[in-house]
Amino acid sequence: MSFVYKADPVRGAEWAEFFARKMPDMPFHIWPDVGDARDVRYLAAWQPPANLMTDFPNLEVLFCTGAGIDHLDLSVVPDAIPIVRMVETGIVSGMVEYVTLAVLSIHRDWKTYLEQQRERDWTAHRVRPASSRRVGVLGLGSLGRAVLPRLQSFGFSCAGWSRFPQQMDGVDCYAGADEMGAFLKRTDILICLVPLTDSTRGILDKRLFDALPRGAAVINVGRGGHLVQDDLLQALNDGTLSYAVVDVCEPEPLPRHHPFWTHPKVTLTPHIASMTQPETAVEAVVANIRRLKEGSPMIGLVDSARGY
Ligand code: GLV
């Protein structure tokens, strides 16, 4: 039985080290070295090879090295092979940091002060209490649920929306298409953390922006496919929205001539909101292999019909 890692080779070398400590009896290979392909039971990949089952005829689990699996071509993965997304504490902490930074920078007018400093302009703007700012998280998966308590700790008024009803202490929870309008209406800073599926592609569009209070801000840390870029530009230019933080784009990298690069109301980062961390990723993968062996459900198991 062996394990193959097929993603960023630099981080792969770190995976190998942690893996050897956690599961010393399991041979670990970094693609394109796969050892004896017939021994490979577990593959961790950002993008599996096109001939997955001919390359690895005895594969038992495909671990995706990312939190999202929307980029995977699921047609190369037979139904019998479970796909497991990365649910690990390193990704969660990174996302909590980034979203906190983005929300606070909007809340405290950070971009304005950076520009003012360049102009040697000593103008103070009123500081609004966090309790007067309504933050809303679209998507209450492991990331959305981790971000909200941190934002709550600053005193923001917090709400979340999910497909199916959920509950969280101190968070106004909305669910389903019927409650989306009410959720948007009370949201001054919207954070997109839903998975990208056929039903969420293009969800950040004119209709959604128009449903937010005028002058709201949007943070997209989901996927580029969630955002209708022209609708965002229009909304920023006509004042429907006041600001956007964009970490994910379609395509990536964003072409050099794209207006987001220079737009005064956009902060753009190159898909770095969060990254899988080798140590905690290995912990999550090893724990899942142990669960599988004991017959317990693996954490992060993808439901292919649902798309996440
Ligand atoms: C990165 O975006 C990931 O899915 O982990």
Side-chain angles (χ1 to χ4, degrees):
M1 278 203 182
S2 67
F3 192 105
V4 168
Y5 170 96
K6 178 181 178 293
D8 167 34
V10 175
R11 279 190 271 172
E14 290 180 42
W15 273 61
E17 231 174 85
F18 293 118
F19 202 90
R21 276 188 229 160
K22 289 263 167 199
M23 256 196 178
D25 298 335
M26 172 104 52
F28 184 97
H29 302 279
I30 300 178
W31 177 278
D33 165 30
V34 299
D36 182 342
R38 286 164 307 181
D39 286 344
V40 177
R41 298 289 188 280
Y42 310 106
L43 172 67
W46 173 251
Q47 194 59 265
N51 303 318
L52 180 66
M53 296 317 288
T54 19
D55 286 356
F56 303 116
N58 296 314
L59 189 70
E60 286 179 17
V61 184
L62 172 63
F63 292 102
C64 178
T65 55
I69 54 108
D70 50 281
H71 60 287
L72 287 185
D73 176 4
L74 296 181
S75 69
V76 306
V77 189
D79 290 347
I81 305 290
I83 304 172
V84 180
R85 324 183 276 112
M86 198 48 76
V87 178
E88 62 95 1
T89 54
I91 290 192
V92 175
S93 311
M95 189 56 81
V96 170
E97 284 175 13
Y98 184 97
V99 170
T100 305
L101 173 68
V103 169
L104 289 178
S105 67
I106 291 166
H107 173 57
R108 296 304 306 264
D109 305 313
W110 205 244
K111 179 94 170 202
T112 304
Y113 289 113
L114 291 176
E115 277 158 18
Q116 284 189 198
Q117 181 181 352
R118 257 193 306 275
E119 302 300 322
R120 298 164 194 257
D121 173 0
W122 189 274
T123 305
H125 305 277
R126 284 286 300 276
V127 173
R128 269 177 67 172
S131 57
S132 74
R133 195 85 73 171
R134 298 164 300 173
V135 174
V137 174
L138 201 54
L140 293 178
S142 53
L143 298 174
R145 293 181 75 86
V147 157
L148 277 160
R150 190 59 59 91
L151 296 175
Q152 252 180 327
S153 74
F154 293 101
F156 292 110
S157 159
C158 289
W161 178 93
S162 52
R163 275 175 79 194
F164 302 109
Q166 296 206 35
Q167 285 193 336
M168 280 186 76
D169 274 353
V171 175
D172 289 332
C173 290
Y174 296 80
D178 289 352
E179 295 181 11
M180 178 67 97
F183 165 71
L184 296 173
K185 194 167 167 213
R186 54 73 59 208
T187 294
D188 300 314
I189 301 178
L190 178 75
I191 299 142
C192 176
L193 267 171
V194 276
L196 181 62
T197 64
D198 289 344
S199 55
T200 63
R201 179 166 286 282
I203 193 172
L204 302 178
D205 65 355
K206 175 173 165 43
R207 212 165 60 133
L208 178 144
F209 301 145
D210 286 345
L212 292 166
R214 190 166 173 81
V218 169
I219 299 168
N220 188 18
V221 277
R223 286 287 187 249
H226 287 126
L227 177 65
V228 180
Q229 296 180 352
D230 288 344
D231 288 3
L232 177 66
L233 286 167
Q234 177 66 41
L236 290 169
N237 293 342
D238 69 16
T240 303
L241 296 179
S242 59
Y243 207 77
V245 175
V246 177
D247 180 59
V248 281
C249 290
E250 216 172 72
E252 291 180 2
L254 192 67
R256 287 179 64 83
H257 61 265
H258 196 283
F260 285 173
W261 285 108
T262 50
H263 199 289
K265 295 180 181 170
V266 174
T267 292
L268 178 67
T269 52
H271 200 143
I272 48 72
S274 191
M275 286 179 195
T276 303
Q277 298 297 338
E279 182 167 10
T280 37
V282 167
E283 276 168 20
V285 163
V286 166
N288 267 334
I289 294 176
R290 299 215 162 105
R291 269 193 202 95
L292 183 74
K293 288 187 172 164
E294 291 160 14
S296 319
M298 288 184 287
I299 294 178
L301 198 58
V302 171
D303 174 342
S304 307
R306 208 173 54 166
Y308 62 95

